Amino acid sequence: DASRQEQAVETALLEIEKLEQIFSTWREDSEIMTLNRQRQTTEASDDLLEVLDACESWLLTSNNAFSCRMGQVIDLWNTAEAQQVRPMVPDTLPIARAAQKNLLIIDPLQRRVELGESINLEPTGLAKGYIIDRVMTLLRQELPEATAIKVDIGGDASYWGQPDGTDNWLVNIADPNVMADNSNFISTLSLNGMAVATSGHNTRTWKFEDLEFSQILDTRRGWPVA
């Protein structure tokens, strides 16, 4: 019924708020930003330890292509955009290389995390999916009679069950070369118990007068991919 749905949504929003307090790189008082400033902690939360462990696992699995260590490179680009001084590869390359090579200590038993000199954590690429998974699990517990649930946070979404009158959730894929709202779809996914994460060069960029640079970085150089 409507009241149970509303209560479940309220519970989900509280969970998102709690996890945002841990992972947000926009809030200076979040756990991750506090760690970036202090460089070490012996009071890391279970959620932070789990996400950082997953980050380091994917760093190895992807042969360093996916990295949660690029915070200082991202800070460089943000500052450059604010000052409208376009960086060069020699500016970003040494920071990116050092971030990948420096030691990141994660000790779950001691709740200890220690950052190497060039590492600032930026786990958004993984943390958003972690939050969505947590919320989906919570909603399924709160609403055991539900037949279909979608959790969508800014382009990353999880789809479970079968909406009324359909076999699966249908998710349209936009044309990356001709972006438009609700049109120019190039394919459709049929999903149940699956998730989609999206990123692109057109929606999030660093702008320098008439030039735009993608916020998807080549982690080897700290330089935007084309």
Side-chain angles (χ1 to χ4, degrees):
D1 57 55
S3 63
R4 287 182 63 194
Q5 291 183 48
E6 290 172 6
Q7 181 59 49
V9 169
E10 186 63 31
T11 302
L13 291 173
L14 289 173
E15 181 72 6
I16 292 171
E17 184 178 348
K18 185 193 85 170
L19 294 172
E20 182 186 38
Q21 183 63 44
I22 296 172
F23 297 117
S24 173
T25 54
W26 296 96
R27 299 176 56 162
E28 290 299 321
D29 62 342
S30 69
E31 183 176 358
I32 199 111
M33 292 301 286
T34 301
L35 175 57
N36 280 338
R37 288 193 303 273
Q38 297 180 352
R39 313 305 298 162
Q40 60 182 335
T41 183
T42 55
E43 299 177 346
S45 65
D46 290 338
D47 293 304
L48 180 63
L49 289 167
E50 188 170 348
V51 164
L52 293 186
D53 182 68
C55 280
E56 291 299 284
S57 175
W58 277 107
L59 184 72
L60 293 174
T61 300
S62 68
N63 194 25
N64 291 352
F66 180 88
S67 175
C68 299
R69 298 172 166 216
M70 302 297 288
Q72 290 191 22
V73 177
I74 293 170
D75 288 344
L76 183 152
W77 276 98
N78 288 338
T79 300
E81 182 185 44
Q83 298 175 349
Q84 284 297 289
V85 178
R86 184 154 52 101
M88 305 294 284
V89 171
D91 301 322
T92 64
L93 179 63
I95 303 174
R97 283 184 174 174
Q100 303 297 66
K101 293 179 179 179
N102 283 4
L103 188 62
L104 172 59
I105 297 172
I106 305 171
D107 184 347
L109 293 178
Q110 301 294 325
R111 296 190 173 278
R112 178 184 172 214
V113 179
E114 185 172 338
L115 307 183
E117 182 179 354
S118 296
I119 298 173
N120 275 21
L121 297 170
E122 219 305 359
T124 305
L126 194 145
K128 188 187 285 189
Y130 179 84
I131 293 170
I132 289 170
D133 284 347
R134 285 283 294 272
V135 171
M136 177 62 81
T137 299
L138 187 153
L139 288 174
R140 291 186 63 184
Q141 292 172 347
E142 292 285 312
L143 300 169
E145 297 173 4
T147 57
I149 300 173
K150 177 180 77 169
V151 180
D152 187 339
I153 301 179
D156 294 358
S158 179
Y159 303 85
W160 171 82
Q162 298 174 309
D164 289 344
T166 67
D167 292 330
N168 290 309
W169 290 92
L170 298 181
V171 181
N172 292 320
I173 307 301
D175 184 340
N177 296 311
V178 188
M179 294 292 289
D181 289 338
N182 299 316
S183 64
N184 294 333
F185 299 121
I186 59 174
S187 188
T188 300
L189 305 178
S190 177
L191 305 179
N192 181 345
M194 303 178 76
V196 173
T198 60
S199 192
H201 305 301
N202 297 320
T203 54
R204 293 178 182 269
T205 61
W206 286 294
K207 298 180 181 180
F208 298 86
E209 296 181 352
D210 58 340
L211 292 177
E212 294 189 32
F213 292 87
S214 171
Q215 292 191 10
I216 303 174
L217 295 174
D218 176 351
T219 58
R220 296 167 300 177
R221 303 187 300 156
W223 195 258
V225 295

